[in-house]
Amino acid sequence: ANAYLNADLNDLAGQLRFRWGEYPGGESSGWDLVLSNLFLGPLLRLIPRLDRALRPGGGAILAGILEEQGFALDEAAAALAGG
């Protein structure tokens, strides 16, 4: 409900699609942006699927981790990117 309210407050009502739950991995290259607020474990499981979920040039905002866990998330993303 808050996502819809925030979209409306930012004049984006009707321009965004929201989904709750774990990404099943079925859609490919469809999303411009993925917003996720999860603990580290679920985020680490999500990272390999982001490449298929995002359109080329798309982005992700991943939140919900503790500051000291950021390095683990960075490492997982870099490994996926080949760096």
Side-chain angles (χ1 to χ4, degrees):
N2 285 339
Y4 291 104
L5 176 60
N6 285 328
D8 189 43
L9 291 172
N10 287 285
D11 296 321
L12 296 171
Q15 298 179 48
L16 303 172
R17 292 184 292 163
F18 300 100
R19 289 209 181 150
W20 284 262
E22 188 161 331
Y23 173 68
E27 284 186 50
S28 62
S29 300
W31 300 96
D32 295 314
L33 179 65
V34 170
L35 305 171
S36 181
N37 186 21
L38 301 168
F39 294 116
L40 180 61
L43 282 175
L44 291 174
R45 290 190 300 274
L46 174 68
I47 285 179
R49 295 186 244 171
L50 284 176
D51 192 45
R52 292 188 311 271
L54 292 167
R55 288 184 179 166
I61 298 174
L62 307 176
I65 60 169
L66 301 174
E67 184 175 350
E68 59 269 15
Q69 296 173 325
F71 184 74
L73 196 58
D74 289 343
E75 277 189 334
L80 182 67

